[in-house]
Amino acid sequence: MQEIDLIIVGAGPVGLYAAFYAGMRGLSVAIIESAEVAGGQPQNLYPEKLIYDIAGLPAVTGADLTRNLLEQLAQIPHRLFLGEAVQKLEKTSTGFTITTDQAVRKAKAVLLTTGAGLLTPRKLGVTGEEALEVSGKLSYFITSLQAFKGEKVAVFGGGDSALDWALMLEKVASEVHLIHRRTSFRAHEHTVRRLEDSSIQLHTPYTLSEFTEKGVQLQKVKSDLLTELSVDKILVNYGFLTNQLDLIEGLEVTRNGRVTANRQMRSNIEGLYVAGDASDYEGKVPLMSVGFGEAVLAINAMTQVLTLDHAIRKGHSSSIF
Ligand SMILES: Cc1cc2nc3c(=O)[nH]c(=O)nc-3n(C[C@H](O)[C@H](O)[C@H](O)COP(=O)(O)OP(=O)(O)OC[C@H]3O[C@@H](n4cnc5c(N)ncnc54)[C@H](O)[C@@H]3O)c2cc1C
């Protein structure tokens, strides 16, 4: 079995970009992804949602961002193993043994870009939810905006995702209602301003009390006041529960299950790095722009450690590519 320089676990946006950057720095690289398609959360959870905070791209959908990342990656030699879940990592004298559900591989260094791990949407917890989910009336993310064309939609949630989706839906749906249990929203100021200027009907502070034949019944927080809303579709955006696999013994993780990283994105295990949503440190923000920067820090640090004649200071310009 040939040992390569770097194996990246997870082909989300950060893993894909990290692989490209590693290739640019002269490392031999392979990526292992458990899903059948590369792209992580933007590709699988919000392929049609517009993303506004990627440097140099005024607005890009999750699917287009994935396409761009794959196109960028195609410029360097690499191997991408899809549909293969990494189950265990073991430290060896020269690097790591990586055991997947299909093979055993070896690498001098490993970069974890496993994101939030296996994602499960946080549910409303109201009777009848599962049946509505099966019937297609209730969903936790949107894979096709067209499915909401001309429909009356109730969006539950008060974070960036809920607001982004409500604003996207406004363009295709006949009515959009946003229901949040607080009077203020936990979203970017710019997004909140766009919401205030939109035609979206706000219901705050309200929660769902029950599903009705025509839609939903809402209850005002700390009050008995009930109000009926007639809607065709329900979108729940209460975030996701995550399940990180316990990949290696002795790995230091924080309370929320993310891997503790130092300033060079190294974990407490030598040769094992982390970037993107899987990482944690003081001030961590789980956004892609941050994850892309973390990938660069990790690759530059490991390139130096692997003593491949690429000093860290050489990483100042992509012209070496
Ligand atoms: C609805 C929504 C909207 C968002 N909007 C924005 C936005 O506008 N701007 C922004 O910057 N961020 C946004 N985010 C956050 C952004 O999607 C994440 O920060 C980003 O996806 C993190 O990228 P990542 O590569 O670290 O992880 P992920 O995208 O989670 O990818 C991790 C990959 O690792 C794979 N994996 C996990 N475990 C294993 C294993 N054991 N073996 C093999 N593969 C494995 C997973 O299958 C997945 O493909 C949004 C998130 C959501 C949910």
Side-chain angles (χ1 to χ4, degrees), residues 9-15 32-34 40-42 45-46 49 51 53 84-86 113-117 161 165 240 245 275-277 286-288:
V9 186
V14 177
I32 305 176
E33 166 59 52
S34 59
Q41 295 175 50
L45 300 186
Y46 52 100
K49 183 180 93 77
I51 305 162
D53 52 357
E84 186 171 330
V86 173
T113 51
T114 47
S161 301
W165 276 127
F240 290 85
L245 293 181
D277 280 13
L287 286 176
M288 284 180 274

PDB file of all heavy atoms in Angstrom, residues 9-15 32-34 40-42 45-46 49 51 53 84-86 113-117 161 165 240 245 275-277 286-288, ligand 1:
ATOM      1  N   VAL A   9     -10.203  13.874   5.314  1.00  0.00           N
ATOM      2  CA  VAL A   9     -11.451  13.151   5.619  1.00  0.00           C
ATOM      3  C   VAL A   9     -12.609  14.134   5.514  1.00  0.00           C
ATOM      4  O   VAL A   9     -12.753  15.039   6.337  1.00  0.00           O
ATOM      5  CB  VAL A   9     -11.418  12.522   7.032  1.00  0.00           C
ATOM      6  CG1 VAL A   9     -12.670  11.667   7.253  1.00  0.00           C
ATOM      7  CG2 VAL A   9     -10.158  11.699   7.242  1.00  0.00           C
ATOM      8  N   GLY A  10     -13.444  13.964   4.470  1.00  0.00           N
ATOM      9  CA  GLY A  10     -14.605  14.844   4.273  1.00  0.00           C
ATOM     10  C   GLY A  10     -14.409  15.754   3.074  1.00  0.00           C
ATOM     11  O   GLY A  10     -13.468  16.558   3.038  1.00  0.00           O
ATOM     12  N   ALA A  11     -15.285  15.612   2.076  1.00  0.00           N
ATOM     13  CA  ALA A  11     -15.199  16.437   0.866  1.00  0.00           C
ATOM     14  C   ALA A  11     -16.278  17.507   0.859  1.00  0.00           C
ATOM     15  O   ALA A  11     -16.979  17.720  -0.126  1.00  0.00           O
ATOM     16  CB  ALA A  11     -15.295  15.567  -0.380  1.00  0.00           C
ATOM     17  N   GLY A  12     -16.441  18.185   1.999  1.00  0.00           N
ATOM     18  CA  GLY A  12     -17.284  19.380   2.034  1.00  0.00           C
ATOM     19  C   GLY A  12     -16.498  20.522   1.399  1.00  0.00           C
ATOM     20  O   GLY A  12     -15.398  20.308   0.864  1.00  0.00           O
ATOM     21  N   PRO A  13     -17.022  21.753   1.443  1.00  0.00           N
ATOM     22  CA  PRO A  13     -16.309  22.868   0.800  1.00  0.00           C
ATOM     23  C   PRO A  13     -14.885  23.041   1.326  1.00  0.00           C
ATOM     24  O   PRO A  13     -13.965  23.294   0.543  1.00  0.00           O
ATOM     25  CB  PRO A  13     -17.174  24.088   1.133  1.00  0.00           C
ATOM     26  CG  PRO A  13     -18.095  23.659   2.232  1.00  0.00           C
ATOM     27  CD  PRO A  13     -18.262  22.191   2.078  1.00  0.00           C
ATOM     28  N   VAL A  14     -14.708  22.850   2.626  1.00  0.00           N
ATOM     29  CA  VAL A  14     -13.381  23.080   3.211  1.00  0.00           C
ATOM     30  C   VAL A  14     -12.413  21.971   2.805  1.00  0.00           C
ATOM     31  O   VAL A  14     -11.259  22.238   2.443  1.00  0.00           O
ATOM     32  CB  VAL A  14     -13.489  23.235   4.749  1.00  0.00           C
ATOM     33  CG1 VAL A  14     -12.121  23.406   5.368  1.00  0.00           C
ATOM     34  CG2 VAL A  14     -14.384  24.435   5.088  1.00  0.00           C
ATOM     35  N   GLY A  15     -12.888  20.715   2.805  1.00  0.00           N
ATOM     36  CA  GLY A  15     -12.039  19.599   2.376  1.00  0.00           C
ATOM     37  C   GLY A  15     -11.630  19.733   0.918  1.00  0.00           C
ATOM     38  O   GLY A  15     -10.475  19.496   0.552  1.00  0.00           O
ATOM     39  N   ILE A  32     -11.364  11.435   1.219  1.00  0.00           N
ATOM     40  CA  ILE A  32     -12.323  10.344   1.423  1.00  0.00           C
ATOM     41  C   ILE A  32     -13.634  10.954   1.929  1.00  0.00           C
ATOM     42  O   ILE A  32     -13.643  11.694   2.915  1.00  0.00           O
ATOM     43  CB  ILE A  32     -11.787   9.312   2.439  1.00  0.00           C
ATOM     44  CG1 ILE A  32     -10.408   8.803   1.994  1.00  0.00           C
ATOM     45  CG2 ILE A  32     -12.769   8.151   2.585  1.00  0.00           C
ATOM     46  CD1 ILE A  32      -9.755   7.842   2.979  1.00  0.00           C
ATOM     47  N   GLU A  33     -14.722  10.641   1.228  1.00  0.00           N
ATOM     48  CA  GLU A  33     -16.026  11.241   1.548  1.00  0.00           C
ATOM     49  C   GLU A  33     -17.065  10.131   1.708  1.00  0.00           C
ATOM     50  O   GLU A  33     -17.201   9.272   0.836  1.00  0.00           O
ATOM     51  CB  GLU A  33     -16.430  12.208   0.420  1.00  0.00           C
ATOM     52  CG  GLU A  33     -17.876  12.656   0.418  1.00  0.00           C
ATOM     53  CD  GLU A  33     -18.303  13.374   1.708  1.00  0.00           C
ATOM     54  OE1 GLU A  33     -17.626  14.317   2.110  1.00  0.00           O
ATOM     55  OE2 GLU A  33     -19.317  12.956   2.300  1.00  0.00           O
ATOM     56  N   SER A  34     -17.817  10.186   2.795  1.00  0.00           N
ATOM     57  CA  SER A  34     -18.801   9.122   3.042  1.00  0.00           C
ATOM     58  C   SER A  34     -20.019   9.225   2.119  1.00  0.00           C
ATOM     59  O   SER A  34     -20.614   8.219   1.765  1.00  0.00           O
ATOM     60  CB  SER A  34     -19.252   9.142   4.503  1.00  0.00           C
ATOM     61  OG  SER A  34     -19.816  10.389   4.811  1.00  0.00           O
ATOM     62  N   GLY A  40     -20.507  18.489   0.713  1.00  0.00           N
ATOM     63  CA  GLY A  40     -20.932  18.707   2.105  1.00  0.00           C
ATOM     64  C   GLY A  40     -22.254  19.451   2.220  1.00  0.00           C
ATOM     65  O   GLY A  40     -23.165  19.271   1.407  1.00  0.00           O
ATOM     66  N   GLN A  41     -22.351  20.291   3.237  1.00  0.00           N
ATOM     67  CA  GLN A  41     -23.625  20.963   3.554  1.00  0.00           C
ATOM     68  C   GLN A  41     -24.177  21.807   2.397  1.00  0.00           C
ATOM     69  O   GLN A  41     -25.366  21.682   2.075  1.00  0.00           O
ATOM     70  CB  GLN A  41     -23.473  21.826   4.803  1.00  0.00           C
ATOM     71  CG  GLN A  41     -23.188  21.035   6.068  1.00  0.00           C
ATOM     72  CD  GLN A  41     -22.920  21.928   7.262  1.00  0.00           C
ATOM     73  OE1 GLN A  41     -23.684  22.839   7.555  1.00  0.00           O
ATOM     74  NE2 GLN A  41     -21.825  21.684   7.955  1.00  0.00           N
ATOM     75  N   PRO A  42     -23.377  22.676   1.744  1.00  0.00           N
ATOM     76  CA  PRO A  42     -23.965  23.505   0.677  1.00  0.00           C
ATOM     77  C   PRO A  42     -24.567  22.681  -0.456  1.00  0.00           C
ATOM     78  O   PRO A  42     -25.608  23.027  -1.006  1.00  0.00           O
ATOM     79  CB  PRO A  42     -22.775  24.331   0.159  1.00  0.00           C
ATOM     80  CG  PRO A  42     -21.734  24.239   1.197  1.00  0.00           C
ATOM     81  CD  PRO A  42     -21.969  22.994   1.987  1.00  0.00           C
ATOM     82  N   LEU A  45     -27.543  20.224   1.666  1.00  0.00           N
ATOM     83  CA  LEU A  45     -28.605  20.839   2.470  1.00  0.00           C
ATOM     84  C   LEU A  45     -29.213  22.071   1.818  1.00  0.00           C
ATOM     85  O   LEU A  45     -30.364  22.386   2.046  1.00  0.00           O
ATOM     86  CB  LEU A  45     -28.075  21.235   3.853  1.00  0.00           C
ATOM     87  CG  LEU A  45     -27.510  20.117   4.729  1.00  0.00           C
ATOM     88  CD1 LEU A  45     -27.169  20.655   6.105  1.00  0.00           C
ATOM     89  CD2 LEU A  45     -28.510  18.978   4.855  1.00  0.00           C
ATOM     90  N   TYR A  46     -28.393  22.815   1.071  1.00  0.00           N
ATOM     91  CA  TYR A  46     -28.970  24.027   0.490  1.00  0.00           C
ATOM     92  C   TYR A  46     -28.387  24.323  -0.907  1.00  0.00           C
ATOM     93  O   TYR A  46     -27.809  25.368  -1.154  1.00  0.00           O
ATOM     94  CB  TYR A  46     -28.819  25.229   1.426  1.00  0.00           C
ATOM     95  CG  TYR A  46     -27.418  25.507   1.958  1.00  0.00           C
ATOM     96  CD1 TYR A  46     -26.620  26.484   1.382  1.00  0.00           C
ATOM     97  CD2 TYR A  46     -26.905  24.824   3.039  1.00  0.00           C
ATOM     98  CE1 TYR A  46     -25.354  26.766   1.869  1.00  0.00           C
ATOM     99  CE2 TYR A  46     -25.646  25.090   3.539  1.00  0.00           C
ATOM    100  CZ  TYR A  46     -24.878  26.057   2.941  1.00  0.00           C
ATOM    101  OH  TYR A  46     -23.621  26.333   3.422  1.00  0.00           O
ATOM    102  N   LYS A  49     -29.818  27.601  -2.325  1.00  0.00           N
ATOM    103  CA  LYS A  49     -29.782  28.831  -1.515  1.00  0.00           C
ATOM    104  C   LYS A  49     -28.605  29.687  -1.987  1.00  0.00           C
ATOM    105  O   LYS A  49     -27.540  29.180  -2.317  1.00  0.00           O
ATOM    106  CB  LYS A  49     -29.585  28.492  -0.039  1.00  0.00           C
ATOM    107  CG  LYS A  49     -29.609  29.726   0.863  1.00  0.00           C
ATOM    108  CD  LYS A  49     -29.401  29.371   2.325  1.00  0.00           C
ATOM    109  CE  LYS A  49     -27.961  29.448   2.751  1.00  0.00           C
ATOM    110  NZ  LYS A  49     -27.462  30.802   2.981  1.00  0.00           N
ATOM    111  N   ILE A  51     -25.507  32.079  -1.367  1.00  0.00           N
ATOM    112  CA  ILE A  51     -24.516  32.350  -0.313  1.00  0.00           C
ATOM    113  C   ILE A  51     -23.873  33.688  -0.684  1.00  0.00           C
ATOM    114  O   ILE A  51     -23.432  33.875  -1.808  1.00  0.00           O
ATOM    115  CB  ILE A  51     -23.444  31.236  -0.296  1.00  0.00           C
ATOM    116  CG1 ILE A  51     -24.105  29.867  -0.157  1.00  0.00           C
ATOM    117  CG2 ILE A  51     -22.422  31.479   0.804  1.00  0.00           C
ATOM    118  CD1 ILE A  51     -23.217  28.711  -0.559  1.00  0.00           C
ATOM    119  N   ASP A  53     -21.486  35.408   1.417  1.00  0.00           N
ATOM    120  CA  ASP A  53     -20.294  35.829   2.162  1.00  0.00           C
ATOM    121  C   ASP A  53     -19.029  35.065   1.786  1.00  0.00           C
ATOM    122  O   ASP A  53     -18.171  34.812   2.616  1.00  0.00           O
ATOM    123  CB  ASP A  53     -20.553  35.733   3.676  1.00  0.00           C
ATOM    124  CG  ASP A  53     -21.083  34.367   4.105  1.00  0.00           C
ATOM    125  OD1 ASP A  53     -21.303  33.524   3.227  1.00  0.00           O
ATOM    126  OD2 ASP A  53     -21.255  34.151   5.313  1.00  0.00           O
ATOM    127  N   GLU A  84     -17.383   6.407   0.800  1.00  0.00           N
ATOM    128  CA  GLU A  84     -16.470   5.628   1.653  1.00  0.00           C
ATOM    129  C   GLU A  84     -16.328   6.347   2.993  1.00  0.00           C
ATOM    130  O   GLU A  84     -15.810   7.475   3.036  1.00  0.00           O
ATOM    131  CB  GLU A  84     -15.121   5.498   0.935  1.00  0.00           C
ATOM    132  CG  GLU A  84     -14.167   4.592   1.646  1.00  0.00           C
ATOM    133  CD  GLU A  84     -12.906   4.285   0.819  1.00  0.00           C
ATOM    134  OE1 GLU A  84     -12.975   4.278  -0.445  1.00  0.00           O
ATOM    135  OE2 GLU A  84     -11.865   4.070   1.428  1.00  0.00           O
ATOM    136  N   ALA A  85     -16.794   5.722   4.048  1.00  0.00           N
ATOM    137  CA  ALA A  85     -16.771   6.396   5.363  1.00  0.00           C
ATOM    138  C   ALA A  85     -15.526   6.008   6.146  1.00  0.00           C
ATOM    139  O   ALA A  85     -15.209   4.819   6.263  1.00  0.00           O
ATOM    140  CB  ALA A  85     -18.013   6.015   6.163  1.00  0.00           C
ATOM    141  N   VAL A  86     -14.820   7.003   6.650  1.00  0.00           N
ATOM    142  CA  VAL A  86     -13.664   6.734   7.510  1.00  0.00           C
ATOM    143  C   VAL A  86     -14.183   6.337   8.887  1.00  0.00           C
ATOM    144  O   VAL A  86     -15.023   7.033   9.476  1.00  0.00           O
ATOM    145  CB  VAL A  86     -12.743   7.968   7.596  1.00  0.00           C
ATOM    146  CG1 VAL A  86     -11.640   7.750   8.619  1.00  0.00           C
ATOM    147  CG2 VAL A  86     -12.147   8.266   6.222  1.00  0.00           C
ATOM    148  N   THR A 113     -11.790  17.255   7.876  1.00  0.00           N
ATOM    149  CA  THR A 113     -12.744  18.303   7.461  1.00  0.00           C
ATOM    150  C   THR A 113     -14.128  17.641   7.449  1.00  0.00           C
ATOM    151  O   THR A 113     -14.844  17.687   6.457  1.00  0.00           O
ATOM    152  CB  THR A 113     -12.382  18.895   6.075  1.00  0.00           C
ATOM    153  OG1 THR A 113     -12.196  17.818   5.156  1.00  0.00           O
ATOM    154  CG2 THR A 113     -11.131  19.750   6.135  1.00  0.00           C
ATOM    155  N   THR A 114     -14.442  17.019   8.552  1.00  0.00           N
ATOM    156  CA  THR A 114     -15.681  16.235   8.655  1.00  0.00           C
ATOM    157  C   THR A 114     -16.888  17.102   8.983  1.00  0.00           C
ATOM    158  O   THR A 114     -17.989  16.585   9.166  1.00  0.00           O
ATOM    159  CB  THR A 114     -15.526  15.136   9.727  1.00  0.00           C
ATOM    160  OG1 THR A 114     -14.943  15.730  10.894  1.00  0.00           O
ATOM    161  CG2 THR A 114     -14.615  14.026   9.259  1.00  0.00           C
ATOM    162  N   GLY A 115     -16.667  18.413   9.088  1.00  0.00           N
ATOM    163  CA  GLY A 115     -17.782  19.335   9.308  1.00  0.00           C
ATOM    164  C   GLY A 115     -18.534  19.004  10.569  1.00  0.00           C
ATOM    165  O   GLY A 115     -17.966  18.700  11.612  1.00  0.00           O
ATOM    166  N   ALA A 116     -19.835  18.996  10.431  1.00  0.00           N
ATOM    167  CA  ALA A 116     -20.679  18.704  11.587  1.00  0.00           C
ATOM    168  C   ALA A 116     -20.861  17.198  11.746  1.00  0.00           C
ATOM    169  O   ALA A 116     -21.646  16.758  12.567  1.00  0.00           O
ATOM    170  CB  ALA A 116     -22.019  19.383  11.409  1.00  0.00           C
ATOM    171  N   GLY A 117     -20.156  16.398  10.932  1.00  0.00           N
ATOM    172  CA  GLY A 117     -20.320  14.951  11.006  1.00  0.00           C
ATOM    173  C   GLY A 117     -21.625  14.558  10.333  1.00  0.00           C
ATOM    174  O   GLY A 117     -22.026  15.155   9.336  1.00  0.00           O
ATOM    175  N   SER A 161     -30.185  30.890   8.522  1.00  0.00           N
ATOM    176  CA  SER A 161     -30.740  29.970   7.523  1.00  0.00           C
ATOM    177  C   SER A 161     -32.219  30.224   7.312  1.00  0.00           C
ATOM    178  O   SER A 161     -32.691  30.284   6.170  1.00  0.00           O
ATOM    179  CB  SER A 161     -30.568  28.527   7.970  1.00  0.00           C
ATOM    180  OG  SER A 161     -29.237  28.250   8.163  1.00  0.00           O
ATOM    181  N   TRP A 165     -33.723  31.504   3.785  1.00  0.00           N
ATOM    182  CA  TRP A 165     -34.720  30.714   3.053  1.00  0.00           C
ATOM    183  C   TRP A 165     -36.005  31.509   2.850  1.00  0.00           C
ATOM    184  O   TRP A 165     -36.602  31.476   1.768  1.00  0.00           O
ATOM    185  CB  TRP A 165     -35.034  29.424   3.803  1.00  0.00           C
ATOM    186  CG  TRP A 165     -34.065  28.324   3.510  1.00  0.00           C
ATOM    187  CD1 TRP A 165     -33.363  27.587   4.407  1.00  0.00           C
ATOM    188  CD2 TRP A 165     -33.684  27.844   2.217  1.00  0.00           C
ATOM    189  NE1 TRP A 165     -32.570  26.680   3.750  1.00  0.00           N
ATOM    190  CE2 TRP A 165     -32.751  26.808   2.417  1.00  0.00           C
ATOM    191  CE3 TRP A 165     -34.037  28.182   0.907  1.00  0.00           C
ATOM    192  CZ2 TRP A 165     -32.160  26.106   1.366  1.00  0.00           C
ATOM    193  CZ3 TRP A 165     -33.457  27.488  -0.144  1.00  0.00           C
ATOM    194  CH2 TRP A 165     -32.535  26.469   0.101  1.00  0.00           C
ATOM    195  N   PHE A 240     -29.370  21.896  13.347  1.00  0.00           N
ATOM    196  CA  PHE A 240     -29.115  20.462  13.160  1.00  0.00           C
ATOM    197  C   PHE A 240     -28.448  19.851  14.383  1.00  0.00           C
ATOM    198  O   PHE A 240     -27.650  20.503  15.050  1.00  0.00           O
ATOM    199  CB  PHE A 240     -28.196  20.251  11.958  1.00  0.00           C
ATOM    200  CG  PHE A 240     -28.871  20.551  10.657  1.00  0.00           C
ATOM    201  CD1 PHE A 240     -28.913  21.845  10.165  1.00  0.00           C
ATOM    202  CD2 PHE A 240     -29.487  19.554   9.936  1.00  0.00           C
ATOM    203  CE1 PHE A 240     -29.559  22.135   8.979  1.00  0.00           C
ATOM    204  CE2 PHE A 240     -30.138  19.835   8.753  1.00  0.00           C
ATOM    205  CZ  PHE A 240     -30.173  21.122   8.270  1.00  0.00           C
ATOM    206  N   LEU A 245     -18.182  11.107  14.545  1.00  0.00           N
ATOM    207  CA  LEU A 245     -17.683   9.775  14.870  1.00  0.00           C
ATOM    208  C   LEU A 245     -16.426   9.916  15.719  1.00  0.00           C
ATOM    209  O   LEU A 245     -15.641  10.847  15.542  1.00  0.00           O
ATOM    210  CB  LEU A 245     -17.356   9.012  13.580  1.00  0.00           C
ATOM    211  CG  LEU A 245     -18.535   8.648  12.690  1.00  0.00           C
ATOM    212  CD1 LEU A 245     -18.048   7.868  11.481  1.00  0.00           C
ATOM    213  CD2 LEU A 245     -19.554   7.828  13.453  1.00  0.00           C
ATOM    214  N   ALA A 275      -9.886  21.401  10.081  1.00  0.00           N
ATOM    215  CA  ALA A 275     -10.300  22.699   9.524  1.00  0.00           C
ATOM    216  C   ALA A 275     -11.796  22.669   9.254  1.00  0.00           C
ATOM    217  O   ALA A 275     -12.393  21.597   9.125  1.00  0.00           O
ATOM    218  CB  ALA A 275      -9.532  22.994   8.227  1.00  0.00           C
ATOM    219  N   GLY A 276     -12.392  23.850   9.167  1.00  0.00           N
ATOM    220  CA  GLY A 276     -13.827  23.939   8.880  1.00  0.00           C
ATOM    221  C   GLY A 276     -14.660  23.710  10.126  1.00  0.00           C
ATOM    222  O   GLY A 276     -14.178  23.832  11.264  1.00  0.00           O
ATOM    223  N   ASP A 277     -15.909  23.345   9.915  1.00  0.00           N
ATOM    224  CA  ASP A 277     -16.861  23.202  11.025  1.00  0.00           C
ATOM    225  C   ASP A 277     -16.434  22.176  12.074  1.00  0.00           C
ATOM    226  O   ASP A 277     -16.929  22.203  13.198  1.00  0.00           O
ATOM    227  CB  ASP A 277     -18.237  22.793  10.483  1.00  0.00           C
ATOM    228  CG  ASP A 277     -19.001  23.982   9.919  1.00  0.00           C
ATOM    229  OD1 ASP A 277     -18.378  25.043   9.724  1.00  0.00           O
ATOM    230  OD2 ASP A 277     -20.213  23.835   9.670  1.00  0.00           O
ATOM    231  N   PRO A 286     -18.320  29.236  12.603  1.00  0.00           N
ATOM    232  CA  PRO A 286     -18.477  28.161  11.617  1.00  0.00           C
ATOM    233  C   PRO A 286     -18.994  28.643  10.269  1.00  0.00           C
ATOM    234  O   PRO A 286     -20.127  28.405   9.901  1.00  0.00           O
ATOM    235  CB  PRO A 286     -19.463  27.209  12.301  1.00  0.00           C
ATOM    236  CG  PRO A 286     -20.270  28.089  13.191  1.00  0.00           C
ATOM    237  CD  PRO A 286     -19.418  29.258  13.578  1.00  0.00           C
ATOM    238  N   LEU A 287     -18.144  29.343   9.551  1.00  0.00           N
ATOM    239  CA  LEU A 287     -18.494  29.823   8.206  1.00  0.00           C
ATOM    240  C   LEU A 287     -17.445  29.324   7.219  1.00  0.00           C
ATOM    241  O   LEU A 287     -16.301  29.071   7.597  1.00  0.00           O
ATOM    242  CB  LEU A 287     -18.503  31.354   8.175  1.00  0.00           C
ATOM    243  CG  LEU A 287     -19.679  32.045   8.854  1.00  0.00           C
ATOM    244  CD1 LEU A 287     -19.471  33.551   8.823  1.00  0.00           C
ATOM    245  CD2 LEU A 287     -20.993  31.673   8.186  1.00  0.00           C
ATOM    246  N   MET A 288     -17.830  29.246   5.942  1.00  0.00           N
ATOM    247  CA  MET A 288     -16.911  28.703   4.956  1.00  0.00           C
ATOM    248  C   MET A 288     -15.676  29.564   4.760  1.00  0.00           C
ATOM    249  O   MET A 288     -14.563  29.051   4.630  1.00  0.00           O
ATOM    250  CB  MET A 288     -17.644  28.505   3.631  1.00  0.00           C
ATOM    251  CG  MET A 288     -18.537  27.290   3.682  1.00  0.00           C
ATOM    252  SD  MET A 288     -19.404  27.022   2.167  1.00  0.00           S
ATOM    253  CE  MET A 288     -20.817  28.044   2.408  1.00  0.00           C
TER     254      MET A 288
HETATM  255  C1  LIG B   1     -28.933  25.923   5.870  1.00  0.00           C
HETATM  256  C2  LIG B   1     -27.505  26.381   5.999  1.00  0.00           C
HETATM  257  C3  LIG B   1     -27.117  27.572   5.416  1.00  0.00           C
HETATM  258  C4  LIG B   1     -25.791  28.012   5.516  1.00  0.00           C
HETATM  259  N1  LIG B   1     -25.426  29.189   4.917  1.00  0.00           N
HETATM  260  C5  LIG B   1     -24.125  29.580   4.959  1.00  0.00           C
HETATM  261  C6  LIG B   1     -23.716  30.781   4.305  1.00  0.00           C
HETATM  262  O1  LIG B   1     -24.513  31.497   3.705  1.00  0.00           O
HETATM  263  N2  LIG B   1     -22.385  31.111   4.385  1.00  0.00           N
HETATM  264  C7  LIG B   1     -21.451  30.339   5.052  1.00  0.00           C
HETATM  265  O2  LIG B   1     -20.265  30.667   5.058  1.00  0.00           O
HETATM  266  N3  LIG B   1     -21.837  29.209   5.680  1.00  0.00           N
HETATM  267  C8  LIG B   1     -23.140  28.817   5.654  1.00  0.00           C
HETATM  268  N4  LIG B   1     -23.522  27.690   6.301  1.00  0.00           N
HETATM  269  C9  LIG B   1     -22.479  26.917   7.022  1.00  0.00           C
HETATM  270  C10 LIG B   1     -21.600  26.127   6.020  1.00  0.00           C
HETATM  271  O3  LIG B   1     -22.410  25.276   5.220  1.00  0.00           O
HETATM  272  C11 LIG B   1     -20.568  25.323   6.798  1.00  0.00           C
HETATM  273  O4  LIG B   1     -19.746  26.231   7.520  1.00  0.00           O
HETATM  274  C12 LIG B   1     -19.716  24.510   5.823  1.00  0.00           C
HETATM  275  O5  LIG B   1     -20.481  23.564   5.121  1.00  0.00           O
HETATM  276  C13 LIG B   1     -18.591  23.793   6.571  1.00  0.00           C
HETATM  277  O6  LIG B   1     -17.845  23.119   5.622  1.00  0.00           O
HETATM  278  P1  LIG B   1     -16.997  21.835   6.019  1.00  0.00           P
HETATM  279  O7  LIG B   1     -16.332  21.394   4.751  1.00  0.00           O
HETATM  280  O8  LIG B   1     -16.192  22.126   7.219  1.00  0.00           O
HETATM  281  O9  LIG B   1     -18.085  20.751   6.503  1.00  0.00           O
HETATM  282  P2  LIG B   1     -19.358  20.085   5.773  1.00  0.00           P
HETATM  283  O10 LIG B   1     -19.934  20.962   4.734  1.00  0.00           O
HETATM  284  O11 LIG B   1     -20.224  19.636   6.893  1.00  0.00           O
HETATM  285  O12 LIG B   1     -18.736  18.814   5.050  1.00  0.00           O
HETATM  286  C14 LIG B   1     -18.217  17.763   5.802  1.00  0.00           C
HETATM  287  C15 LIG B   1     -18.152  16.522   4.906  1.00  0.00           C
HETATM  288  O13 LIG B   1     -17.479  15.486   5.628  1.00  0.00           O
HETATM  289  C16 LIG B   1     -18.144  14.255   5.373  1.00  0.00           C
HETATM  290  N5  LIG B   1     -17.859  13.351   6.480  1.00  0.00           N
HETATM  291  C17 LIG B   1     -18.213  13.499   7.799  1.00  0.00           C
HETATM  292  N6  LIG B   1     -17.759  12.451   8.512  1.00  0.00           N
HETATM  293  C18 LIG B   1     -17.097  11.633   7.628  1.00  0.00           C
HETATM  294  C19 LIG B   1     -16.391  10.396   7.764  1.00  0.00           C
HETATM  295  N7  LIG B   1     -16.257   9.780   8.943  1.00  0.00           N
HETATM  296  N8  LIG B   1     -15.836   9.831   6.635  1.00  0.00           N
HETATM  297  C20 LIG B   1     -15.951  10.434   5.426  1.00  0.00           C
HETATM  298  N9  LIG B   1     -16.600  11.599   5.245  1.00  0.00           N
HETATM  299  C21 LIG B   1     -17.160  12.198   6.327  1.00  0.00           C
HETATM  300  C22 LIG B   1     -19.639  14.653   5.306  1.00  0.00           C
HETATM  301  O14 LIG B   1     -20.385  13.686   4.571  1.00  0.00           O
HETATM  302  C23 LIG B   1     -19.552  15.982   4.554  1.00  0.00           C
HETATM  303  O15 LIG B   1     -19.636  15.828   3.149  1.00  0.00           O
HETATM  304  C24 LIG B   1     -24.836  27.233   6.234  1.00  0.00           C
HETATM  305  C25 LIG B   1     -25.216  26.022   6.824  1.00  0.00           C
HETATM  306  C26 LIG B   1     -26.542  25.593   6.722  1.00  0.00           C
HETATM  307  C27 LIG B   1     -26.948  24.301   7.369  1.00  0.00           C
END
